[in-house]
Structures are given as structure tokens and as C-alpha cells.
Amino acid sequence: MKSKPHTLLCTVGTSLLGHAKNPEAPEQLKQALTNRRKQAILDQLRLLECSDRFCGAEINTVTELLNSDRYVLQKIVFLVSDTAEGTLSGQILKEYFSERRNFSGTAVEYDVVAGLQDGDPKRFKTKGLPNLVRKIGDHIQTAGGPEFVAIDATGGYKAQIAIAVLIGQALDLPVFYKHERFDAIIDFPPMPISLDF
């Protein structure tokens, strides 16, 4: 019988921060996001249901996974870009999930992937993406092996998502994704991908 994953690696984008310019977003949330004030953003997020799209893709998908009975997650790692927005997103996500009583017992952290930024395409390619692969590998080893890890590849740069999906498929990890128009997360079906070590 296959082990149930206890560690979730989550690629992170800026879907939450992007709501600063969304005319449909609640006005006070937009104001907090525009000013990039972490505590004000967290205060506004507390007023919303976790499933509200204005919480952002990462909160929506991680909450859905935490509330499912498929896994008993002991650890969530948010893999964020090497940017000010990436770090802010990581800090918000860490605090948001750390303070929720119904998720107590779940360790939450964020990990900045050096070089994963959009200001320098060469650095993104030569440093950022290889560092993402290393980070995912390090977290899989820390968790005890691939059988204990799942990946939420919803947020982040398209290349970041693609690499997370590829690693997950090659190592036979559960990989999840949610498009903003989906009403539920999907898991990727197994594909004929393997790694030549």
C-alpha cells in the first residue's frame, strides 16, 4: 500500500497581490494590497472565506487539500520567486496558514528560490530554474522520499509550474492544479515520464 504524503510543496505566484488592480475585489483588500502592508492584507483575508477567489490561487488550493481526507499534511512549503513580491507572498501565506486553528499541527514555511525572477531572463534560465529543481529535490529528501510528498503546481511562472509538474510526474508524486475558472482542484493523471539518474 502506498504511503500518504505528509508534505505539500506549493509553487507560488502573485495571484493574491494581483487583486490590487481587480475592480471586483473588496475595496479595503485592494487598498491593503496596493500599499503592500502585510498585516492589513492578513486582516482583510481573515474576513473572507478560504475558498473566495480574492484570497488567491494558493490559499484556495491548499485549503481544499487540507480539508480533504486524502492527506494528513504535516508540512507545507511555499516555493516563492526571488522578488519582493515573491517574499511578501511567502510571508503572507506562512502567517495565514500558521494562524488558522483548523490547520494546527501543520508546519508552514516559505522558501525563496534564488534566481527565480523575471528581471533577467538569462538568470531565470541558468540559476532560477535549476535552483527550483534543487529545492524540490532537497524538500523531497527532507520529507523522507517521494512517497511522502505531493505538489500543488497552481501558482507561479509558467516554467516554474511546468518543472514542478514534470518532477512530480517523473517521481510518481500526486500533482495538483487549479485554474481560476475551475470550481475544484484536479490531479494530473499519470503520464509516461521517467528520470534517467
Side-chain angles (χ1 to χ4, degrees):
M1 185 173 153
K2 193 172 177 181
S3 302
K4 280 190 174 185
H6 55 62
T7 298
L8 178 67
L9 304 181
C10 182
T11 60
V12 175
T14 55
S15 65
L16 167 62
L17 301 181
H19 287 304
K21 296 178 181 170
N22 185 335
E24 297 176 13
E27 195 55 45
Q28 290 184 316
L29 176 62
K30 284 197 308 190
Q31 190 173 28
L33 291 167
T34 299
N35 296 330
R36 296 297 195 252
R37 291 181 22 240
K38 182 178 69 173
Q39 195 54 53
I41 295 168
L42 285 162
D43 290 344
Q44 291 305 308
L45 290 175
R46 288 185 195 105
L47 301 175
L48 301 173
E49 292 292 326
C50 299
S51 58
D52 191 306
R53 68 186 177 105
F54 296 119
C55 287
E58 294 80 11
I59 289 175
N60 295 162
T61 57
V62 172
T63 299
E64 192 171 333
L65 288 170
L66 284 167
N67 286 332
S68 78
D69 57 1
R70 294 168 75 172
Y71 308 107
V72 179
L73 294 176
Q74 298 169 9
K75 185 176 184 181
I76 304 167
V77 180
F78 293 103
L79 299 167
V80 303
S81 62
D82 191 5
T83 63
E85 286 192 334
T87 299
L88 178 60
S89 295
Q91 292 170 344
I92 290 167
L93 291 165
K94 180 179 192 272
E95 288 191 36
Y96 181 86
F97 284 105
S98 294
E99 71 182 19
R100 300 197 67 87
R101 287 195 183 114
N102 50 334
F103 303 143
S104 64
T106 304
V108 184
E109 63 185 64
Y110 71 94
D111 197 351
V112 177
V113 181
L116 196 65
Q117 46 70 47
D118 53 15
D120 180 352
K122 184 177 178 186
R123 183 168 166 74
F124 182 87
K125 174 185 169 183
T126 61
K127 301 287 185 200
L129 294 178
N131 284 337
L132 175 63
V133 173
R134 277 191 281 280
K135 290 272 187 189
I136 291 173
D138 289 347
H139 286 293
I140 289 172
Q141 281 189 326
T142 301
E147 63 270 27
F148 301 112
V149 177
I151 295 177
D152 174 8
T154 296
Y157 300 110
K158 289 179 176 68
Q160 180 182 4
I161 294 169
I163 284 181
V165 170
L166 182 64
I167 291 172
Q169 287 287 306
L171 296 178
D172 195 28
L173 308 178
V175 180
F176 303 98
Y177 173 78
K178 183 176 183 182
H179 187 273
E180 61 188 28
R181 292 189 183 147
F182 293 176
D183 60 358
I185 56 175
I186 62 164
D187 40 340
F188 279 79
M191 296 180 192
I193 297 170
S194 63
L195 291 177
D196 182 350
F197 293 100

PDB file of all heavy atoms in Angstrom, residues 36-69:
ATOM      1  N   ARG A  36       0.846  47.285  -0.040  1.00  0.00           N
ATOM      2  CA  ARG A  36       1.758  46.182   0.299  1.00  0.00           C
ATOM      3  C   ARG A  36       2.002  46.094   1.809  1.00  0.00           C
ATOM      4  O   ARG A  36       3.105  45.809   2.254  1.00  0.00           O
ATOM      5  CB  ARG A  36       3.087  46.308  -0.442  1.00  0.00           C
ATOM      6  CG  ARG A  36       3.001  46.198  -1.959  1.00  0.00           C
ATOM      7  CD  ARG A  36       2.496  44.805  -2.345  1.00  0.00           C
ATOM      8  NE  ARG A  36       2.711  44.496  -3.745  1.00  0.00           N
ATOM      9  CZ  ARG A  36       1.742  44.441  -4.658  1.00  0.00           C
ATOM     10  NH1 ARG A  36       0.500  44.719  -4.312  1.00  0.00           N
ATOM     11  NH2 ARG A  36       2.004  44.112  -5.899  1.00  0.00           N
ATOM     12  N   ARG A  37       0.941  46.326   2.581  1.00  0.00           N
ATOM     13  CA  ARG A  37       1.032  46.238   4.036  1.00  0.00           C
ATOM     14  C   ARG A  37       0.574  44.844   4.470  1.00  0.00           C
ATOM     15  O   ARG A  37      -0.613  44.535   4.427  1.00  0.00           O
ATOM     16  CB  ARG A  37       0.208  47.345   4.687  1.00  0.00           C
ATOM     17  CG  ARG A  37       0.827  48.720   4.446  1.00  0.00           C
ATOM     18  CD  ARG A  37       0.091  49.893   5.070  1.00  0.00           C
ATOM     19  NE  ARG A  37      -0.766  49.581   6.192  1.00  0.00           N
ATOM     20  CZ  ARG A  37      -2.081  49.830   6.193  1.00  0.00           C
ATOM     21  NH1 ARG A  37      -2.678  50.367   5.161  1.00  0.00           N
ATOM     22  NH2 ARG A  37      -2.794  49.543   7.262  1.00  0.00           N
ATOM     23  N   LYS A  38       1.550  44.033   4.881  1.00  0.00           N
ATOM     24  CA  LYS A  38       1.285  42.632   5.185  1.00  0.00           C
ATOM     25  C   LYS A  38       0.181  42.449   6.220  1.00  0.00           C
ATOM     26  O   LYS A  38      -0.734  41.647   6.011  1.00  0.00           O
ATOM     27  CB  LYS A  38       2.573  41.958   5.650  1.00  0.00           C
ATOM     28  CG  LYS A  38       2.418  40.484   5.945  1.00  0.00           C
ATOM     29  CD  LYS A  38       3.718  39.844   6.366  1.00  0.00           C
ATOM     30  CE  LYS A  38       4.127  40.347   7.706  1.00  0.00           C
ATOM     31  NZ  LYS A  38       5.289  39.672   8.283  1.00  0.00           N
ATOM     32  N   GLN A  39       0.248  43.164   7.329  1.00  0.00           N
ATOM     33  CA  GLN A  39      -0.743  42.969   8.388  1.00  0.00           C
ATOM     34  C   GLN A  39      -2.140  43.366   7.922  1.00  0.00           C
ATOM     35  O   GLN A  39      -3.123  42.685   8.214  1.00  0.00           O
ATOM     36  CB  GLN A  39      -0.361  43.744   9.649  1.00  0.00           C
ATOM     37  CG  GLN A  39      -1.134  43.300  10.875  1.00  0.00           C
ATOM     38  CD  GLN A  39      -1.017  41.798  11.125  1.00  0.00           C
ATOM     39  OE1 GLN A  39       0.077  41.247  11.196  1.00  0.00           O
ATOM     40  NE2 GLN A  39      -2.148  41.123  11.246  1.00  0.00           N
ATOM     41  N   ALA A  40      -2.240  44.452   7.174  1.00  0.00           N
ATOM     42  CA  ALA A  40      -3.543  44.884   6.649  1.00  0.00           C
ATOM     43  C   ALA A  40      -4.090  43.848   5.661  1.00  0.00           C
ATOM     44  O   ALA A  40      -5.297  43.570   5.643  1.00  0.00           O
ATOM     45  CB  ALA A  40      -3.410  46.248   5.974  1.00  0.00           C
ATOM     46  N   ILE A  41      -3.213  43.274   4.849  1.00  0.00           N
ATOM     47  CA  ILE A  41      -3.647  42.229   3.903  1.00  0.00           C
ATOM     48  C   ILE A  41      -4.179  41.028   4.672  1.00  0.00           C
ATOM     49  O   ILE A  41      -5.257  40.500   4.370  1.00  0.00           O
ATOM     50  CB  ILE A  41      -2.484  41.816   2.975  1.00  0.00           C
ATOM     51  CG1 ILE A  41      -2.075  42.987   2.075  1.00  0.00           C
ATOM     52  CG2 ILE A  41      -2.873  40.595   2.136  1.00  0.00           C
ATOM     53  CD1 ILE A  41      -0.767  42.781   1.320  1.00  0.00           C
ATOM     54  N   LEU A  42      -3.431  40.593   5.693  1.00  0.00           N
ATOM     55  CA  LEU A  42      -3.876  39.449   6.502  1.00  0.00           C
ATOM     56  C   LEU A  42      -5.206  39.745   7.190  1.00  0.00           C
ATOM     57  O   LEU A  42      -6.085  38.878   7.243  1.00  0.00           O
ATOM     58  CB  LEU A  42      -2.809  39.086   7.532  1.00  0.00           C
ATOM     59  CG  LEU A  42      -1.595  38.351   6.968  1.00  0.00           C
ATOM     60  CD1 LEU A  42      -0.421  38.411   7.938  1.00  0.00           C
ATOM     61  CD2 LEU A  42      -1.941  36.915   6.638  1.00  0.00           C
ATOM     62  N   ASP A  43      -5.368  40.954   7.700  1.00  0.00           N
ATOM     63  CA  ASP A  43      -6.635  41.331   8.341  1.00  0.00           C
ATOM     64  C   ASP A  43      -7.799  41.218   7.368  1.00  0.00           C
ATOM     65  O   ASP A  43      -8.886  40.738   7.730  1.00  0.00           O
ATOM     66  CB  ASP A  43      -6.558  42.766   8.883  1.00  0.00           C
ATOM     67  CG  ASP A  43      -5.632  42.898  10.086  1.00  0.00           C
ATOM     68  OD1 ASP A  43      -5.288  41.860  10.703  1.00  0.00           O
ATOM     69  OD2 ASP A  43      -5.238  44.040  10.393  1.00  0.00           O
ATOM     70  N   GLN A  44      -7.592  41.644   6.130  1.00  0.00           N
ATOM     71  CA  GLN A  44      -8.650  41.572   5.120  1.00  0.00           C
ATOM     72  C   GLN A  44      -8.921  40.126   4.692  1.00  0.00           C
ATOM     73  O   GLN A  44     -10.067  39.739   4.473  1.00  0.00           O
ATOM     74  CB  GLN A  44      -8.299  42.436   3.906  1.00  0.00           C
ATOM     75  CG  GLN A  44      -8.312  43.924   4.181  1.00  0.00           C
ATOM     76  CD  GLN A  44      -9.636  44.380   4.766  1.00  0.00           C
ATOM     77  OE1 GLN A  44     -10.701  44.105   4.218  1.00  0.00           O
ATOM     78  NE2 GLN A  44      -9.586  45.078   5.905  1.00  0.00           N
ATOM     79  N   LEU A  45      -7.869  39.322   4.598  1.00  0.00           N
ATOM     80  CA  LEU A  45      -8.042  37.916   4.221  1.00  0.00           C
ATOM     81  C   LEU A  45      -8.847  37.159   5.272  1.00  0.00           C
ATOM     82  O   LEU A  45      -9.617  36.258   4.944  1.00  0.00           O
ATOM     83  CB  LEU A  45      -6.687  37.236   4.011  1.00  0.00           C
ATOM     84  CG  LEU A  45      -5.904  37.671   2.775  1.00  0.00           C
ATOM     85  CD1 LEU A  45      -4.529  37.015   2.761  1.00  0.00           C
ATOM     86  CD2 LEU A  45      -6.669  37.349   1.504  1.00  0.00           C
ATOM     87  N   ARG A  46      -8.685  37.530   6.536  1.00  0.00           N
ATOM     88  CA  ARG A  46      -9.433  36.875   7.615  1.00  0.00           C
ATOM     89  C   ARG A  46     -10.938  37.084   7.481  1.00  0.00           C
ATOM     90  O   ARG A  46     -11.730  36.304   8.007  1.00  0.00           O
ATOM     91  CB  ARG A  46      -8.975  37.407   8.976  1.00  0.00           C
ATOM     92  CG  ARG A  46      -7.616  36.930   9.381  1.00  0.00           C
ATOM     93  CD  ARG A  46      -7.273  37.405  10.798  1.00  0.00           C
ATOM     94  NE  ARG A  46      -5.855  37.242  11.023  1.00  0.00           N
ATOM     95  CZ  ARG A  46      -4.968  38.241  11.044  1.00  0.00           C
ATOM     96  NH1 ARG A  46      -5.369  39.488  10.865  1.00  0.00           N
ATOM     97  NH2 ARG A  46      -3.697  38.002  11.251  1.00  0.00           N
ATOM     98  N   LEU A  47     -11.347  38.138   6.780  1.00  0.00           N
ATOM     99  CA  LEU A  47     -12.770  38.434   6.599  1.00  0.00           C
ATOM    100  C   LEU A  47     -13.388  37.618   5.467  1.00  0.00           C
ATOM    101  O   LEU A  47     -14.606  37.593   5.320  1.00  0.00           O
ATOM    102  CB  LEU A  47     -12.949  39.931   6.304  1.00  0.00           C
ATOM    103  CG  LEU A  47     -12.437  40.897   7.377  1.00  0.00           C
ATOM    104  CD1 LEU A  47     -12.566  42.345   6.901  1.00  0.00           C
ATOM    105  CD2 LEU A  47     -13.172  40.683   8.695  1.00  0.00           C
ATOM    106  N   LEU A  48     -12.552  36.970   4.672  1.00  0.00           N
ATOM    107  CA  LEU A  48     -13.035  36.213   3.510  1.00  0.00           C
ATOM    108  C   LEU A  48     -13.025  34.713   3.802  1.00  0.00           C
ATOM    109  O   LEU A  48     -12.233  34.235   4.603  1.00  0.00           O
ATOM    110  CB  LEU A  48     -12.140  36.487   2.296  1.00  0.00           C
ATOM    111  CG  LEU A  48     -12.005  37.932   1.829  1.00  0.00           C
ATOM    112  CD1 LEU A  48     -10.953  38.025   0.728  1.00  0.00           C
ATOM    113  CD2 LEU A  48     -13.346  38.468   1.336  1.00  0.00           C
ATOM    114  N   GLU A  49     -13.903  33.995   3.126  1.00  0.00           N
ATOM    115  CA  GLU A  49     -13.852  32.534   3.166  1.00  0.00           C
ATOM    116  C   GLU A  49     -12.585  32.085   2.442  1.00  0.00           C
ATOM    117  O   GLU A  49     -12.173  32.708   1.456  1.00  0.00           O
ATOM    118  CB  GLU A  49     -15.075  31.930   2.467  1.00  0.00           C
ATOM    119  CG  GLU A  49     -16.383  32.168   3.182  1.00  0.00           C
ATOM    120  CD  GLU A  49     -16.454  31.419   4.499  1.00  0.00           C
ATOM    121  OE1 GLU A  49     -15.904  30.305   4.587  1.00  0.00           O
ATOM    122  OE2 GLU A  49     -17.058  31.968   5.446  1.00  0.00           O
ATOM    123  N   CYS A  50     -11.988  30.995   2.902  1.00  0.00           N
ATOM    124  CA  CYS A  50     -10.755  30.484   2.273  1.00  0.00           C
ATOM    125  C   CYS A  50     -10.958  30.155   0.794  1.00  0.00           C
ATOM    126  O   CYS A  50     -10.009  30.174   0.010  1.00  0.00           O
ATOM    127  CB  CYS A  50     -10.283  29.224   2.974  1.00  0.00           C
ATOM    128  SG  CYS A  50      -9.897  29.446   4.705  1.00  0.00           S
ATOM    129  N   SER A  51     -12.170  29.852   0.424  1.00  0.00           N
ATOM    130  CA  SER A  51     -12.461  29.479  -0.961  1.00  0.00           C
ATOM    131  C   SER A  51     -12.737  30.691  -1.855  1.00  0.00           C
ATOM    132  O   SER A  51     -12.885  30.547  -3.070  1.00  0.00           O
ATOM    133  CB  SER A  51     -13.675  28.539  -1.004  1.00  0.00           C
ATOM    134  OG  SER A  51     -14.793  29.179  -0.395  1.00  0.00           O
ATOM    135  N   ASP A  52     -12.802  31.880  -1.267  1.00  0.00           N
ATOM    136  CA  ASP A  52     -13.055  33.094  -2.043  1.00  0.00           C
ATOM    137  C   ASP A  52     -11.902  33.324  -3.009  1.00  0.00           C
ATOM    138  O   ASP A  52     -10.743  33.273  -2.626  1.00  0.00           O
ATOM    139  CB  ASP A  52     -13.190  34.284  -1.085  1.00  0.00           C
ATOM    140  CG  ASP A  52     -13.721  35.531  -1.780  1.00  0.00           C
ATOM    141  OD1 ASP A  52     -13.135  35.946  -2.798  1.00  0.00           O
ATOM    142  OD2 ASP A  52     -14.717  36.088  -1.286  1.00  0.00           O
ATOM    143  N   ARG A  53     -12.213  33.581  -4.256  1.00  0.00           N
ATOM    144  CA  ARG A  53     -11.148  33.718  -5.269  1.00  0.00           C
ATOM    145  C   ARG A  53     -10.234  34.897  -4.989  1.00  0.00           C
ATOM    146  O   ARG A  53      -9.096  34.923  -5.438  1.00  0.00           O
ATOM    147  CB  ARG A  53     -11.742  33.809  -6.670  1.00  0.00           C
ATOM    148  CG  ARG A  53     -12.517  35.077  -6.962  1.00  0.00           C
ATOM    149  CD  ARG A  53     -13.178  34.991  -8.339  1.00  0.00           C
ATOM    150  NE  ARG A  53     -13.985  36.155  -8.605  1.00  0.00           N
ATOM    151  CZ  ARG A  53     -13.622  37.133  -9.424  1.00  0.00           C
ATOM    152  NH1 ARG A  53     -12.472  37.076 -10.051  1.00  0.00           N
ATOM    153  NH2 ARG A  53     -14.407  38.166  -9.612  1.00  0.00           N
ATOM    154  N   PHE A  54     -10.705  35.867  -4.207  1.00  0.00           N
ATOM    155  CA  PHE A  54      -9.854  37.008  -3.898  1.00  0.00           C
ATOM    156  C   PHE A  54      -8.765  36.669  -2.873  1.00  0.00           C
ATOM    157  O   PHE A  54      -7.875  37.465  -2.631  1.00  0.00           O
ATOM    158  CB  PHE A  54     -10.693  38.195  -3.419  1.00  0.00           C
ATOM    159  CG  PHE A  54     -11.626  38.705  -4.478  1.00  0.00           C
ATOM    160  CD1 PHE A  54     -12.999  38.698  -4.284  1.00  0.00           C
ATOM    161  CD2 PHE A  54     -11.135  39.156  -5.697  1.00  0.00           C
ATOM    162  CE1 PHE A  54     -13.857  39.147  -5.276  1.00  0.00           C
ATOM    163  CE2 PHE A  54     -11.989  39.603  -6.689  1.00  0.00           C
ATOM    164  CZ  PHE A  54     -13.353  39.599  -6.484  1.00  0.00           C
ATOM    165  N   CYS A  55      -8.829  35.471  -2.299  1.00  0.00           N
ATOM    166  CA  CYS A  55      -7.738  35.001  -1.432  1.00  0.00           C
ATOM    167  C   CYS A  55      -6.535  34.556  -2.255  1.00  0.00           C
ATOM    168  O   CYS A  55      -5.440  34.417  -1.709  1.00  0.00           O
ATOM    169  CB  CYS A  55      -8.210  33.840  -0.566  1.00  0.00           C
ATOM    170  SG  CYS A  55      -9.325  34.322   0.760  1.00  0.00           S
ATOM    171  N   GLY A  56      -6.747  34.294  -3.527  1.00  0.00           N
ATOM    172  CA  GLY A  56      -5.650  33.860  -4.390  1.00  0.00           C
ATOM    173  C   GLY A  56      -5.629  32.350  -4.554  1.00  0.00           C
ATOM    174  O   GLY A  56      -6.146  31.596  -3.722  1.00  0.00           O
ATOM    175  N   ALA A  57      -5.006  31.920  -5.635  1.00  0.00           N
ATOM    176  CA  ALA A  57      -4.984  30.505  -6.007  1.00  0.00           C
ATOM    177  C   ALA A  57      -4.331  29.621  -4.951  1.00  0.00           C
ATOM    178  O   ALA A  57      -4.784  28.508  -4.682  1.00  0.00           O
ATOM    179  CB  ALA A  57      -4.256  30.338  -7.345  1.00  0.00           C
ATOM    180  N   GLU A  58      -3.256  30.105  -4.341  1.00  0.00           N
ATOM    181  CA  GLU A  58      -2.536  29.276  -3.374  1.00  0.00           C
ATOM    182  C   GLU A  58      -3.391  28.984  -2.146  1.00  0.00           C
ATOM    183  O   GLU A  58      -3.466  27.840  -1.695  1.00  0.00           O
ATOM    184  CB  GLU A  58      -1.219  29.953  -2.967  1.00  0.00           C
ATOM    185  CG  GLU A  58      -0.214  30.074  -4.087  1.00  0.00           C
ATOM    186  CD  GLU A  58      -0.474  31.238  -5.045  1.00  0.00           C
ATOM    187  OE1 GLU A  58      -1.320  32.110  -4.738  1.00  0.00           O
ATOM    188  OE2 GLU A  58       0.147  31.274  -6.113  1.00  0.00           O
ATOM    189  N   ILE A  59      -4.043  29.998  -1.602  1.00  0.00           N
ATOM    190  CA  ILE A  59      -4.908  29.776  -0.432  1.00  0.00           C
ATOM    191  C   ILE A  59      -6.069  28.866  -0.806  1.00  0.00           C
ATOM    192  O   ILE A  59      -6.409  27.943  -0.064  1.00  0.00           O
ATOM    193  CB  ILE A  59      -5.403  31.120   0.154  1.00  0.00           C
ATOM    194  CG1 ILE A  59      -4.241  31.846   0.831  1.00  0.00           C
ATOM    195  CG2 ILE A  59      -6.560  30.903   1.133  1.00  0.00           C
ATOM    196  CD1 ILE A  59      -4.558  33.233   1.354  1.00  0.00           C
ATOM    197  N   ASN A  60      -6.656  29.091  -1.975  1.00  0.00           N
ATOM    198  CA  ASN A  60      -7.782  28.256  -2.411  1.00  0.00           C
ATOM    199  C   ASN A  60      -7.397  26.783  -2.506  1.00  0.00           C
ATOM    200  O   ASN A  60      -8.087  25.911  -1.973  1.00  0.00           O
ATOM    201  CB  ASN A  60      -8.307  28.714  -3.770  1.00  0.00           C
ATOM    202  CG  ASN A  60      -8.922  30.099  -3.777  1.00  0.00           C
ATOM    203  OD1 ASN A  60      -9.073  30.697  -4.822  1.00  0.00           O
ATOM    204  ND2 ASN A  60      -9.279  30.643  -2.625  1.00  0.00           N
ATOM    205  N   THR A  61      -6.283  26.494  -3.190  1.00  0.00           N
ATOM    206  CA  THR A  61      -5.922  25.086  -3.416  1.00  0.00           C
ATOM    207  C   THR A  61      -5.410  24.412  -2.155  1.00  0.00           C
ATOM    208  O   THR A  61      -5.782  23.273  -1.861  1.00  0.00           O
ATOM    209  CB  THR A  61      -4.869  24.942  -4.539  1.00  0.00           C
ATOM    210  OG1 THR A  61      -3.720  25.715  -4.209  1.00  0.00           O
ATOM    211  CG2 THR A  61      -5.409  25.364  -5.873  1.00  0.00           C
ATOM    212  N   VAL A  62      -4.567  25.097  -1.403  1.00  0.00           N
ATOM    213  CA  VAL A  62      -4.015  24.486  -0.191  1.00  0.00           C
ATOM    214  C   VAL A  62      -5.129  24.216   0.813  1.00  0.00           C
ATOM    215  O   VAL A  62      -5.169  23.163   1.446  1.00  0.00           O
ATOM    216  CB  VAL A  62      -2.897  25.356   0.416  1.00  0.00           C
ATOM    217  CG1 VAL A  62      -2.475  24.825   1.776  1.00  0.00           C
ATOM    218  CG2 VAL A  62      -1.693  25.400  -0.523  1.00  0.00           C
ATOM    219  N   THR A  63      -6.070  25.143   0.946  1.00  0.00           N
ATOM    220  CA  THR A  63      -7.194  24.930   1.861  1.00  0.00           C
ATOM    221  C   THR A  63      -8.006  23.714   1.437  1.00  0.00           C
ATOM    222  O   THR A  63      -8.393  22.891   2.280  1.00  0.00           O
ATOM    223  CB  THR A  63      -8.105  26.174   1.900  1.00  0.00           C
ATOM    224  OG1 THR A  63      -7.345  27.280   2.368  1.00  0.00           O
ATOM    225  CG2 THR A  63      -9.291  25.957   2.817  1.00  0.00           C
ATOM    226  N   GLU A  64      -8.253  23.594   0.141  1.00  0.00           N
ATOM    227  CA  GLU A  64      -9.018  22.444  -0.342  1.00  0.00           C
ATOM    228  C   GLU A  64      -8.300  21.132  -0.021  1.00  0.00           C
ATOM    229  O   GLU A  64      -8.918  20.158   0.400  1.00  0.00           O
ATOM    230  CB  GLU A  64      -9.268  22.580  -1.853  1.00  0.00           C
ATOM    231  CG  GLU A  64     -10.277  21.596  -2.382  1.00  0.00           C
ATOM    232  CD  GLU A  64     -10.696  21.873  -3.817  1.00  0.00           C
ATOM    233  OE1 GLU A  64     -10.643  23.036  -4.258  1.00  0.00           O
ATOM    234  OE2 GLU A  64     -11.077  20.905  -4.500  1.00  0.00           O
ATOM    235  N   LEU A  65      -6.979  21.115  -0.200  1.00  0.00           N
ATOM    236  CA  LEU A  65      -6.214  19.904   0.114  1.00  0.00           C
ATOM    237  C   LEU A  65      -6.191  19.621   1.609  1.00  0.00           C
ATOM    238  O   LEU A  65      -6.309  18.473   2.033  1.00  0.00           O
ATOM    239  CB  LEU A  65      -4.778  20.032  -0.416  1.00  0.00           C
ATOM    240  CG  LEU A  65      -4.643  19.947  -1.933  1.00  0.00           C
ATOM    241  CD1 LEU A  65      -3.236  20.320  -2.376  1.00  0.00           C
ATOM    242  CD2 LEU A  65      -4.991  18.552  -2.422  1.00  0.00           C
ATOM    243  N   LEU A  66      -6.039  20.672   2.420  1.00  0.00           N
ATOM    244  CA  LEU A  66      -6.025  20.481   3.877  1.00  0.00           C
ATOM    245  C   LEU A  66      -7.373  19.987   4.404  1.00  0.00           C
ATOM    246  O   LEU A  66      -7.430  19.245   5.376  1.00  0.00           O
ATOM    247  CB  LEU A  66      -5.651  21.793   4.580  1.00  0.00           C
ATOM    248  CG  LEU A  66      -4.175  22.182   4.523  1.00  0.00           C
ATOM    249  CD1 LEU A  66      -3.983  23.628   4.969  1.00  0.00           C
ATOM    250  CD2 LEU A  66      -3.331  21.252   5.380  1.00  0.00           C
ATOM    251  N   ASN A  67      -8.437  20.394   3.748  1.00  0.00           N
ATOM    252  CA  ASN A  67      -9.774  19.992   4.196  1.00  0.00           C
ATOM    253  C   ASN A  67     -10.198  18.624   3.660  1.00  0.00           C
ATOM    254  O   ASN A  67     -11.208  18.090   4.088  1.00  0.00           O
ATOM    255  CB  ASN A  67     -10.808  21.046   3.793  1.00  0.00           C
ATOM    256  CG  ASN A  67     -10.709  22.293   4.650  1.00  0.00           C
ATOM    257  OD1 ASN A  67     -10.293  22.239   5.798  1.00  0.00           O
ATOM    258  ND2 ASN A  67     -11.073  23.430   4.086  1.00  0.00           N
ATOM    259  N   SER A  68      -9.437  18.095   2.711  1.00  0.00           N
ATOM    260  CA  SER A  68      -9.802  16.780   2.176  1.00  0.00           C
ATOM    261  C   SER A  68      -9.280  15.699   3.122  1.00  0.00           C
ATOM    262  O   SER A  68      -8.404  15.941   3.941  1.00  0.00           O
ATOM    263  CB  SER A  68      -9.199  16.575   0.779  1.00  0.00           C
ATOM    264  OG  SER A  68      -7.830  16.252   0.877  1.00  0.00           O
ATOM    265  N   ASP A  69      -9.842  14.519   3.003  1.00  0.00           N
ATOM    266  CA  ASP A  69      -9.369  13.423   3.852  1.00  0.00           C
ATOM    267  C   ASP A  69      -8.323  12.573   3.139  1.00  0.00           C
ATOM    268  O   ASP A  69      -7.932  11.519   3.621  1.00  0.00           O
ATOM    269  CB  ASP A  69     -10.542  12.567   4.332  1.00  0.00           C
ATOM    270  CG  ASP A  69     -11.346  12.002   3.167  1.00  0.00           C
ATOM    271  OD1 ASP A  69     -10.989  12.250   1.996  1.00  0.00           O
ATOM    272  OD2 ASP A  69     -12.343  11.309   3.437  1.00  0.00           O
TER     273      ASP A  69
END
